[in-house]
């Protein structure tokens, strides 16, 4: 299967890692390529820098096979709505005046990363997640 056509479903990515030699650094490059080629505007409020993604991927690759196999989300990319804190990254809840840099990650983020996930970025949402259709965001 061509990497450009792989599905980003959990089962597909797990299969690629376990049976076809996919590495997290390669997947990060593919994620960045897909984001760059995306024509849907306003998906992202914030994207983690490519260098941060590669550091995370390299860290995962340095793990022993036993540790890798114990991580249910090894190398799986994830995005969060921008009302969930990720340490060192801005949180806006869709409101520029509310923006702050999180001093600590939310428990959810810690658990995703402990399970081997790779944080990609923060997605758009109605301000303070109060809307119904995603149309009330300055982003």
């Amino acid at each position: 299967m061509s990497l450009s056509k792989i599905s980003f479903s959990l089962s597909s990515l797990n299969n690629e890692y376990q049976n076809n030699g996919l590495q997290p650094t390669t997947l990060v490059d593919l994620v960045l390529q897909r984001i760059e080629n995306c024509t849907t505007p306003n998906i992202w409020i914030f994207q983690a820098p490519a260098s941060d993604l590669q550091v995370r991927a390299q860290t995962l690759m340095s793990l022993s096979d036993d540790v890798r196999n114990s991580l249910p989300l090894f190398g799986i990319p994830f995005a969060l709505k921008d009302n969930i804190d990720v340490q060192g990254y801005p949180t806006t809840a869709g409101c520029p005046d509310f923006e702050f840099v999180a001093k600590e990650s939310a428990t959810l983020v810690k658990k995703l990363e402990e399970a081997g996930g790779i944080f990609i970025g923060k997605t758009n949402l109605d301000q303070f997640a109060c809307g119904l259709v995603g149309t009330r965001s300055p982003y």
Side-chain angles (χ1 to χ4, degrees):
M1 174 186 293
S2 168
L3 283 181
S4 64
K5 297 189 188 278
I6 67 169
S7 166
F8 273 49
S9 71
L10 185 56
S11 61
S12 176
L13 290 176
N14 280 334
N15 180 60
E16 291 295 323
Y17 280 124
Q18 293 173 5
N19 300 319
N20 297 325
L22 179 64
Q23 295 295 322
T25 51
T26 303
L27 185 65
V28 162
D29 289 340
L30 184 57
V31 166
L32 292 171
Q33 178 185 9
R34 287 189 179 183
I35 289 171
E36 185 177 317
N37 292 337
C38 182
T39 59
T40 305
N42 306 324
I43 292 173
W44 300 97
I45 288 180
F46 174 80
Q47 292 175 42
S51 59
D52 289 3
L53 300 178
Q54 287 296 343
V55 166
R56 174 66 174 157
Q58 288 288 343
T59 299
L60 290 169
M61 287 177 57
S62 71
L63 300 173
S64 70
D65 287 342
D66 287 343
V67 173
R68 285 182 185 200
N69 292 334
S70 73
L71 298 174
L73 297 178
F74 175 79
I76 303 298
F78 68 93
L80 301 165
K81 288 290 185 186
D82 192 30
N83 60 347
I84 300 173
D85 290 344
V86 178
Q87 182 178 1
Y89 294 106
T91 296
T92 70
C95 178
D97 291 339
F98 178 75
E99 182 176 325
F100 65 93
V101 174
K103 293 183 175 149
E104 184 177 1
S105 289
T107 301
L108 164 72
V109 177
K110 292 176 186 176
K111 288 183 179 285
L112 288 167
E113 290 181 335
E114 287 169 2
I118 300 173
F119 167 69
I120 302 298
K122 304 277 203 86
T123 62
N124 205 350
L125 71 161
D126 279 348
Q127 287 187 347
F128 302 106
C130 292
L132 300 174
V133 295
T135 60
R136 294 183 302 165
S137 172
Y139 299 98

